[in-house]
Amino acid sequence: MARRPPAPVSPLPQRDGIDPVHVRLPLDGAWPTVRAYLEERYGTAAGPGRIAVMLDAGEFVGPDGPVTAGEPYRPGGHVWFHREPGPPEPVVPFPVEVLYRDERIVVADKPHYLATTPRGRHATETALARLRRDLDLPRLSPAHRLDRLTAGVVLFVADPARRGAYQGLFERREAVKTYEAIAAHDPAVTLPTTVRNRLVKDHGRLDAYEVPGEPNAESRVELLEARDGLGRYRLAPRTGRTHQLRVHMNGLGLPILGDPIYPALLPEQNSEDYRRPLQLLARSLEFTDPVDGTPRRFVSGRVLAAWVDPVGWRG
């Protein structure tokens, strides 16, 4: 199958480190105008009359300028627009530390509670948006992602021409990631062990869950040390399914401390307690640089609070 040509460069600038929405008009479209397509796709979410107002204001832009209300539909065309700002996002009160930066990559040490990239209600308060603004790198992009509640090492690509090379490290499982977690210590659980199963994460459902079938998730779990009923664990995922480590630890009977989903879903009002973050940290990332062959290893400088001060963490 022939690959679609890349989209043209957006005529709209970023806002607060957030890219405009890019719409590629379907090739099999039968709409009489671009407006008709936009109304069908976005009208319900935008609200009655809102698409017309945005068109009149020139907020939908094509490669040649603002889209007019009567502009004919052209299959395969491109349209950009900025999402309307929602309520102010709560500021995540922890910094993103930069571990390394050169002309090709930026390696960050992400705090708990900060999403890696814009998604859902998290947009400006994300590691990507902050780094784009703080480092003046508007074309910065992620090579991979960490869960919002997980802290630790994340690789970003500063040179757009090299994005595919660095993303490929993760797609081919050539990047070696290790994590640390704090959970209860149970001497009855035999460790080290390798957990393999098939995990599914449905759209709109918060938790991932195991189903019968060929394994698609694999994690190595070992106990590093234990004290006062807690264990510090080293986790080495071979795959990267959503919530994989959290589900695997919970399946061993060792749910990670501070997890608002596993083993039980907490009420939303209790899931954002900055004093008790999920005790999961992406400790290190290793790979051979795909551009120059240099061995790379980056280590988080963060600590897991429940291990350093278990009494204080529990409150």
Side-chain angles (χ1 to χ4, degrees):
M1 179 182 294
R3 299 184 67 179
R4 292 192 305 179
V9 176
S10 171
L12 293 176
Q14 293 175 352
R15 287 182 181 171
D16 294 324
I18 308 301
D19 292 324
V21 177
H22 171 231
V23 181
R24 189 187 295 263
L25 304 180
L27 293 173
D28 57 354
W31 297 269
T33 62
V34 176
R35 173 180 175 173
Y37 172 74
L38 295 173
E39 290 279 10
E40 181 174 315
R41 179 168 178 181
Y42 297 106
T44 300
R50 185 57 196 160
I51 298 298
V53 170
M54 293 176 68
L55 283 165
D56 289 343
E59 295 180 32
F60 290 104
V61 177
D64 300 320
V67 175
T68 64
E71 185 164 325
Y73 183 91
R74 294 182 177 84
H78 302 271
V79 177
W80 293 265
F81 69 96
H82 283 289
R83 289 188 176 90
E84 294 188 297
E89 295 178 45
V91 175
V92 177
F94 312 110
V96 181
E97 305 291 346
V98 175
L99 298 175
Y100 178 81
R101 176 185 178 182
D102 63 22
E103 70 280 1
R104 295 195 301 270
I105 62 174
V106 173
V107 183
D109 201 352
K110 186 184 82 66
H112 298 285
Y113 297 105
L114 192 70
T116 303
T117 59
R119 186 176 183 182
R121 66 175 187 257
H122 306 286
T124 57
E125 278 299 291
T126 60
L128 179 62
R130 281 196 190 179
L131 291 170
R132 281 176 169 178
R133 297 191 302 264
D134 295 347
L135 303 180
D136 192 23
L137 291 173
R139 302 184 73 183
L140 191 72
S141 60
H144 66 121
R145 290 171 175 79
L146 287 183
D147 284 348
R148 187 176 67 89
L149 298 183
T150 304
V153 181
V154 188
L155 174 65
F156 295 87
V157 185
D159 180 356
R162 306 295 188 179
R163 180 178 182 182
Y166 288 99
Q167 287 182 330
L169 293 170
F170 298 89
E171 294 167 358
R172 297 187 300 272
R173 302 178 184 175
E174 294 173 3
V176 178
K177 297 179 286 184
T178 62
Y179 291 71
E180 286 184 18
I182 309 300
H185 175 234
D186 184 353
V189 178
T190 301
L191 297 176
T193 189
T194 298
V195 181
R196 298 183 185 90
N197 57 11
R198 186 168 189 83
L199 298 182
V200 173
K201 174 70 166 62
D202 296 330
H203 179 72
R205 178 170 171 170
L206 292 177
D207 62 323
Y209 56 95
E210 182 179 356
V211 297
E214 183 72 19
N216 63 1
E218 179 178 328
S219 308
R220 180 75 170 172
V221 180
E222 63 180 284
L223 177 67
L224 295 176
E225 53 183 324
R227 68 172 188 234
D228 301 324
L230 295 180
R232 185 168 71 92
Y233 298 88
R234 181 181 185 272
L235 313 179
R238 178 167 169 73
T239 55
R241 310 300 297 185
T242 300
H243 293 184
Q244 174 178 316
L245 296 175
R246 297 161 67 180
V247 174
H248 284 174
M249 287 292 285
N250 186 56
L252 292 171
L254 304 170
I256 299 172
L257 294 187
D259 197 323
I261 298 178
Y262 311 97
L265 181 64
L266 293 180
E268 185 174 359
Q269 66 267 26
N270 296 331
S271 64
E272 292 287 286
D273 187 347
Y274 289 159
R275 298 170 301 172
R276 295 174 178 81
L278 175 70
Q279 295 298 280
L280 180 61
L281 174 68
R283 173 60 72 193
S284 67
L285 174 64
E286 298 181 58
F287 58 89
T288 299
D289 194 294
V291 177
D292 61 15
T294 302
R296 305 275 199 179
R297 184 172 189 268
F298 303 101
V299 179
S300 172
R302 299 183 184 275
V303 296
L304 290 171
W307 188 252
V308 175
D309 181 14
V311 174
W313 188 87
R314 288 168 175 159

